[in-house]
Amino acid sequence: MTPDDPAPADGGSHDHGSAPEDLEGGAEERASIRAQRLAKVARLRAEGVDPYPYRFDRDRTIGELREAYGHLEAGEETDDVVRVAGRLMLKREQGKLTFAQLRDRSGEVQLFVSAKVLGPDPEAFAGFNELDRGDWVGVEGTVMVTKKGELSVKVTSFELLSKDLRPLPDKWKGLADVDARYRQRYVDLTVNPDARRVFEVRFAAVDAIRQELRRRGYLEVETPILNLQQGGATARPFVTHYNALDIDTYLRIALELPLKRLMVGGFERVFEIGRVFRNEGIDTRHNPEFTMLEAYEAFGDYTEMIELTEALVAAAAVAANGTTVVELRGQTVDLAPPWRRVTMVELIEEVVGVHVDPGMPTAEARAVLDRLGLAWQEGWGAGRCTHEVYDELVEPKVMQPTVVLDHPRETSPLAKPHRRDPNLVERFEVIVDGRELANAYSELNDPVEQLARFREEAAHKAAGDPEAGDVDYDYIRALEYGMPPAGGLGIGIDRLIMVLAGVESIREVILFPTLRPEVGLGDGDFPER
RNA sequence: GCCCCUGUGGCCAAGUGGCAAGGCAGCGGACUUUUAAUCCGACGAUCGUGGGUUCGAUCCCCACCGGGGGCACCA
């Protein structure tokens, strides 16, 4: 239970009432599966069996069982007693012998349930057959292998651990309705192996990233999600109200500014993997809440971040898939370092065949956009125009991992000016499969310069731009104390997982993606106690 | 916001302007080595919701709701 939850409404009473519905004779045939199972639960209680017992002491996982007994030959039987637990995924009744598949988080094993073995009480065997596909069950039995070579537990006793009142989807086809898959992810995960695989990829990848960062001496930190100001990126924020202080707060849109305050404080190497929130549209690449990694390293610049990005992505790929090679939409992509490095201006020339750069006169840059059929807006300088060409015509076409260096200063308010070209900043993005996967800077640490850029943004906000941020005076004050030179990196974890899992929609990699409220599900759909 | 596609028992899924296939699951029966077990039998559907056209609509039209995709917006 969530610690802050109020006391449970039922006051902890376990005094269960009568059966939900008396199902006599033929009525049971016509009753819904759920009603039948509710009746079953009531019957068990009447017999003194708790259908929701408190615990079951298994002595190993099914994976461990397979590990230990995988070598047995077909037909071999042992006297080794084991206790395993899991969800009943299949049941094959065959007269006085029943086979079932039991699954836990580590794998599946067959249950060999014989009337003779389960005795002496003849009710016991009938009781096993009363179990339904989907029930959570604990069993004790001996390890054996059937004639056909299937590792099995010959069950000597069993216990219902939790009743499944709703029938699982088709045992072969699983759950196909995407709406149901996202809304009822618990069912999706239960019956669709692909769904489980995607999240295994996710957990392995994120874990590998953490390990690699820790190995490099990075400290994992947690910073506020409720912010008094909007900053760290350009995006429309969610606004909520904090009653105790009677102020509006913003859900964070980035992790950047608090982490850089920690650089001022001397942490030198920090990272955070956390949820950020952007009040924008939903599509195959955007979910309003998504997971971001940001990492900052003192005394380095963006060149360190290239190597770090390569290492993190490669480690994540190997941990998730055992290889750096992934298949994406029929194409093979190799994430093994080193990746290609190229400047934005060079890459535009290569892919589009035109020259445009942030140093050229604005009119000239706009003329390039005109020739390419791209729209520009008043107020766009050559830098913004260059970025537009890159976004529209270059990024979608780059498949293999590519480090795109040296972005226009105009579109990068938190990056440090380029040491050799005042029109640029020291920033790179990594593109894989036509998508931005990572973004890194030599971090701007000049408080005077930073304040000027904040003020520009605040002016935009005052002019009605909901994505422009506020002047964060405390952040400026922090910079005035001195932030060491640093490289910083951001990786969109969800998009990385999409690449590693080879899926095309961000919803496939988020356990509970944001959806409209479900209609029609209400109190009337659930039984009285 | 706009456009296209889509919604059929718990799940999967056909279908047509004229009584809504089939499979899985569930229910009853047979079966002690099955592997999506098999065989036999009976049951289960206001075809997303509301209007309209029609003698008659699951099907055609309109609106709304949910979902998917694209565009736009947006990093």
Side-chain angles (χ1 to χ4, degrees):
Chain A
M1 186 184 295
T2 306
D4 285 338
D5 265 1
D10 76 4
S13 163
H14 290 276
D15 181 77
H16 296 287
S18 59
E21 224 178 311
D22 211 22
L23 298 166
E24 286 298 324
E28 183 152 349
E29 287 175 22
R30 268 172 270 111
S32 73
I33 293 172
R34 199 154 127 266
Q36 290 173 30
R37 296 197 182 173
L38 281 166
K40 229 178 237 188
V41 165
R43 235 180 283 135
L44 287 170
R45 287 201 167 110
E47 293 163 11
V49 177
D50 183 358
Y52 300 100
Y54 288 87
R55 57 179 294 135
F56 180 82
D57 294 308
R58 66 174 173 189
D59 61 13
R60 71 203 67 205
T61 66
I62 290 168
E64 288 162 356
L65 176 71
R66 289 201 162 278
E67 182 81 13
Y69 292 96
H71 63 277
L72 293 185
E73 305 276 327
E76 248 185 279
E77 302 212 9
T78 74
D79 294 324
D80 300 356
V81 175
V82 298
R83 289 171 64 83
V84 291
R87 197 192 278 274
L88 213 55
M89 296 309 295
L90 281 175
K91 202 170 59 147
R92 298 182 285 277
E93 289 182 34
Q94 200 174 313
K96 297 196 167 53
L97 185 61
T98 295
F99 296 95
Q101 291 295 126
L102 188 71
R103 184 168 78 205
D104 71 9
R105 65 180 158 88
S106 66
E108 285 195 20
V109 71
Q110 177 169 269
L111 302 180
F112 181 102
V113 188
S114 155
K116 203 169 175 181
V117 177
L118 245 192
D121 180 6
E123 297 287 302
F125 184 67
F128 188 89
N129 287 335
E130 280 283 292
L131 294 174
D132 290 294
R133 177 168 175 263
D135 287 353
W136 290 90
V137 179
V139 304
E140 181 172 301
T142 56
V143 181
M144 60 166 285
V145 177
T146 63
K147 287 181 197 165
K148 296 276 174 62
E150 186 74 33
L151 182 66
S152 307
V153 175
K154 186 187 275 188
V155 175
T156 50
S157 70
F158 71 92
E159 187 179 348
L160 173 63
L161 301 182
S162 182
K163 191 69 192 166
D164 177 11
L165 297 177
R166 293 176 183 256
L168 291 178
D170 192 290
K171 66 185 177 188
W172 190 238
K173 300 278 182 58
L175 188 63
D177 181 339
V178 282
D179 184 19
R181 286 189 47 231
Y182 296 154
R183 284 191 202 281
Q184 300 179 55
R185 184 69 90 182
Y186 37 89
V187 179
D188 187 35
L189 291 168
T190 300
V191 299
N192 291 337
D194 272 354
R196 289 198 297 278
R197 182 193 66 86
V198 167
F199 292 105
E200 280 161 12
V201 163
R202 180 169 188 131
F203 304 145
V206 170
D207 189 47
I209 286 170
R210 280 207 164 87
Q211 283 184 36
E212 181 64 23
L213 283 163
R214 291 212 190 96
R215 199 179 65 74
R216 289 165 181 257
Y218 281 77
L219 207 62
E220 181 168 12
V221 300
E222 294 177 277
T223 64
I225 290 173
L226 292 176
N227 290 172
L228 300 181
Q229 276 157 332
Q230 174 185 356
T234 46
R236 195 184 281 242
F238 284 92
V239 183
T240 185
H241 190 78
Y242 179 39
N243 294 333
L245 297 186
D246 192 24
I247 49 169
D248 283 340
T249 57
Y250 300 103
L251 270 56
R252 66 184 175 190
I253 56 174
L255 311 176
E256 179 144 354
L257 298 179
L259 294 180
K260 279 153 68 167
R261 284 178 171 90
L262 296 176
M263 303 305 287
V264 173
F267 276 7
E268 296 186 11
R269 293 184 179 200
V270 295
F271 77 99
E272 179 167 11
I273 294 174
R275 204 69 61 86
V276 299
F277 307 84
R278 298 189 180 178
N279 205 338
E280 287 159 3
I282 296 178
D283 60 34
T284 50
R285 296 177 191 190
H286 298 87
N287 196 67
E289 51 178 308
F290 60 101
T291 301
M292 186 93 103
L293 159 71
E294 291 196 25
Y296 294 86
E297 177 174 333
F299 311 123
D301 58 24
Y302 72 151
T303 56
E304 263 80 27
M305 293 297 112
I306 299 178
E307 192 272 326
L308 179 63
T309 309
E310 288 173 333
L312 293 177
V313 170
V318 170
N321 297 327
T323 170
T324 55
V325 178
V326 290
E327 290 289 325
L328 295 172
R329 294 178 299 170
Q331 296 199 58
T332 301
V333 171
D334 192 348
L335 299 168
W339 300 332
R340 182 184 179 201
R341 286 128 163 97
V342 60
T343 68
M344 181 181 286
V345 169
E346 286 166 355
L347 191 61
I348 290 172
E349 275 181 33
E350 177 185 311
V351 174
V352 187
V354 301
H355 179 85
V356 57
D357 76 75
M360 69 182 12
T362 299
E364 231 175 274
R366 289 177 177 180
V368 172
L369 263 64
D370 286 339
R371 261 181 279 134
L372 293 170
L374 296 175
W376 47 267
Q377 291 170 22
E378 264 335 297
W380 285 14
R384 183 72 182 77
C385 290
T386 302
H387 205 262
E388 181 72 5
V389 175
Y390 166 76
D391 265 355
E392 291 297 318
L393 303 177
V394 176
E395 201 176 84
K397 291 190 181 143
V398 177
M399 196 71 196
Q400 297 297 325
T402 303
V403 179
V404 183
L405 292 152
D406 299 344
H407 290 226
R409 184 172 186 164
E410 195 180 337
T411 53
S412 310
L414 294 163
K416 206 165 187 170
H418 198 285
R419 63 197 79 183
R420 285 188 302 277
D421 184 342
N423 296 304
L424 302 175
V425 289
E426 295 194 349
R427 170 181 178 182
F428 69 84
E429 283 184 1
V430 175
I431 310 176
V432 175
D433 188 29
R435 296 166 193 177
E436 177 195 331
L437 202 70
N439 186 10
Y441 314 138
S442 296
E443 298 296 338
L444 180 60
N445 59 348
D446 173 346
V448 175
E449 172 73 16
Q450 184 67 71
L451 179 59
R453 297 205 197 176
F454 273 159
R455 282 177 170 151
E456 275 175 46
E457 268 217 77
H460 288 305
K461 182 165 182 167
D465 181 352
E467 293 169 17
D470 300 301
V471 178
D472 187 336
Y473 291 106
D474 174 71
Y475 180 68
I476 299 297
R477 178 168 61 188
L479 290 188
E480 288 185 351
Y481 280 98
M483 181 175 100
L489 164 68
I491 294 180
I493 293 293
D494 308 277
R495 289 186 185 175
L496 171 62
I497 304 307
M498 287 169 68
V499 168
L500 296 182
V503 299
E504 291 296 317
S505 169
I506 196 168
R507 291 183 183 114
E508 295 293 337
V509 303
I510 293 176
L511 281 168
F512 300 103
T514 306
L515 298 169
R516 283 195 168 80
E518 183 172 358
V519 292
L521 184 70
D523 197 53
D525 295 306
F526 298 93
E528 297 296 320
R529 217 164 53 146

